[in-house]
Amino acid sequence: MKILVCENYDKLSEKAAQLIMSQITLKSNSVLGLATGSTPIGMYKKLVEMYENKMIDFSDVITFNLDEYQNLPIDNDQSYHYFMDENLFNYINVKRENIHIPNGMAKDIKKECIEYDESIRKIGGIDIQVLGIGNNAHIGFNEPTVNFEKKTYVVELQESTRIANARFFNSLDDVPKNAITMGIGSIFKSKKIMLLAAGENKAKAIYDTVYGKVTPEVPASILQLHDDVIVILDKEAARLLNPVDYSVV
Ligand code: GLP
C-alpha cells in the first residue's frame, strides 16, 4: 500500500486526477472503476478541466460505477446515475454505451448483479478502481459485516451510513434502505485501486484500514492484501498515521 498525503483537498484532487490521466494516456481504452460521494467530486472537476484543455480523451474509455441505491429512479437528483452525469459524464466525451452503473430499479435484481460482474469480466477487468471510504470504513456500499462478499449484490444499508448520507436528501426517511454494490471480491479484482479520503471524520477509518486486522468488520482493510493500492489523503484524514508510512506530496 502506497500512501500519499497532500496539503489539502485541492492537491488531493489534483493528484488523483493526474493518476487517472496517466492511466488513460498509457491505455486509451482503460476501464475505470468510479465512485460517488463528496470525496471524488474535486477529482472529477479536475478531470473535466483536463478534458477541456485537451489533456485527456475519454472517447475509448469504459467506466463501471461501484454502486447505486435500490428503487431510486435514475432521474432523482440523489441517484448515483444523476451524480455521475452532473459531476463528470455530461462534461466529457465518454460514450454513453461505455458507461455502466448498476441498475437499482431492475425488476430482476439478482440477474442485474450477475450481469454486472459478467460485463466487467468480459471487458477484461477494471484497470483502476477509485474508492472513497465511509466513516465505518465501507467501500462502495460494502458495510461492516461478518464475511467479505465476493460478487455484486444487494445490501441493506446500515443506519450510520443512512444518517451520514441523509445530508444529501430532504430527510432521513428519504434515504433508501438498500443499495446494489460491487462486492469486495469484484473490487479486489481491479488491477489498481486508488482510495481517496479527506477530513478528520475519516481519520479513524483510515487508521483501521492501514494498520488494523484484515476483517469484514472493516471492509477497506482488505486493501492491505492487494498488490497495487495507492491511498491519497489530506492531512486531516492522515492524522492518526505514522509519518514514516507515507510520503508528503
Ligand atoms: C457513499 C458511497 C461510497 C462513498 C461514501 C463516502 O456511501 N457509496 O462509495 O465512499 O459514501 O462518501 P463521502 O466521500 O461523501 O464521505
Side-chain angles (χ1 to χ4, degrees):
M1 207 182 255
K2 182 174 172 153
I3 307 175
L4 304 182
V5 177
C6 303
E7 186 57 31
N8 53 38
Y9 177 69
D10 190 62
K11 295 261 162 55
L12 174 159
S13 303
E14 181 78 41
K15 195 82 209 162
Q18 280 167 357
L19 288 178
I20 298 289
M21 181 171 75
S22 309
Q23 171 66 44
I24 297 172
T25 306
L26 289 171
K27 184 183 173 205
S28 60
N29 61 345
S30 286
V31 182
L32 307 182
L34 299 177
T36 54
S38 48
T39 311
I41 289 179
M43 176 191 77
Y44 291 142
K45 279 208 177 88
K46 303 272 179 196
L47 287 172
V48 170
E49 281 167 26
M50 289 168 171
Y51 168 71
E52 286 168 350
N53 293 326
K54 304 197 183 332
M55 293 159 74
I56 317 187
D57 175 11
F58 289 90
S59 58
D60 291 329
V61 166
I62 296 148
T63 69
F64 282 88
N65 264 76
L66 280 169
D67 49 11
E68 177 58 286
Y69 289 112
Q70 197 182 7
N71 294 329
L72 195 65
I74 61 172
D75 58 356
N76 183 298
D77 63 3
Q78 290 312 322
S79 81
Y80 288 167
H81 281 75
Y82 192 97
F83 174 102
M84 289 309 300
D85 279 351
E86 284 298 302
N87 287 292
L88 184 67
F89 297 150
N90 283 348
Y91 309 105
I92 59 172
N93 65 336
V94 64
K95 294 193 182 91
R96 281 281 146 185
E97 65 266 31
N98 287 346
I99 295 172
H100 306 80
I101 304 179
N103 178 8
M105 299 294 289
K107 286 219 174 66
D108 188 343
I109 202 86
K110 280 203 176 136
K111 186 162 166 258
E112 171 68 18
C113 293
I114 293 167
E115 287 178 357
Y116 202 70
D117 282 326
E118 189 53 20
S119 313
I120 298 174
R121 193 192 63 77
K122 271 197 200 138
I123 214 90
I126 290 172
D127 291 306
I128 183 164
Q129 174 67 58
V130 179
L131 295 177
I133 187 167
N135 297 342
N136 61 4
H138 74 240
I139 49 178
F141 264 134
N142 290 275
E143 299 281 32
T145 181
V146 290
N147 60 321
F148 290 117
E149 288 287 341
K150 293 193 182 66
K151 299 190 169 156
T152 297
Y153 67 112
V154 174
V155 63
E156 187 179 336
L157 300 179
Q158 288 197 351
E159 201 56 8
S160 63
T161 297
R162 294 186 63 243
I163 291 168
N165 289 1
R167 67 191 194 276
F168 302 114
F169 291 81
N170 290 331
S171 74
L172 181 58
D173 285 345
D174 291 340
V175 184
K177 295 201 164 53
N178 296 289
I180 174 166
T181 183
M182 279 167 58
I184 293 289
S186 328
I187 295 171
F188 200 79
K189 281 188 189 146
S190 308
K191 290 161 202 156
K192 282 182 201 299
I193 297 181
M194 178 167 80
L195 173 69
L196 310 177
E200 168 68 34
N201 62 334
K202 299 293 170 69
K204 173 73 167 64
I206 290 296
Y207 177 89
D208 291 345
T209 297
V210 174
Y211 300 124
K213 188 175 151 202
V214 176
T215 164
E217 293 293 336
V218 180
S221 64
I222 192 81
L223 300 178
Q224 291 177 29
L225 305 182
H226 193 283
D227 281 345
D228 197 351
V229 174
I230 182 157
V231 179
I232 311 181
L233 308 171
D234 69 355
K235 284 196 300 200
E236 287 74 24
R239 195 178 62 81
L240 300 174
L241 301 186
N242 186 333
V244 300
D245 294 324
Y246 59 75
S247 316
V248 179
V249 293

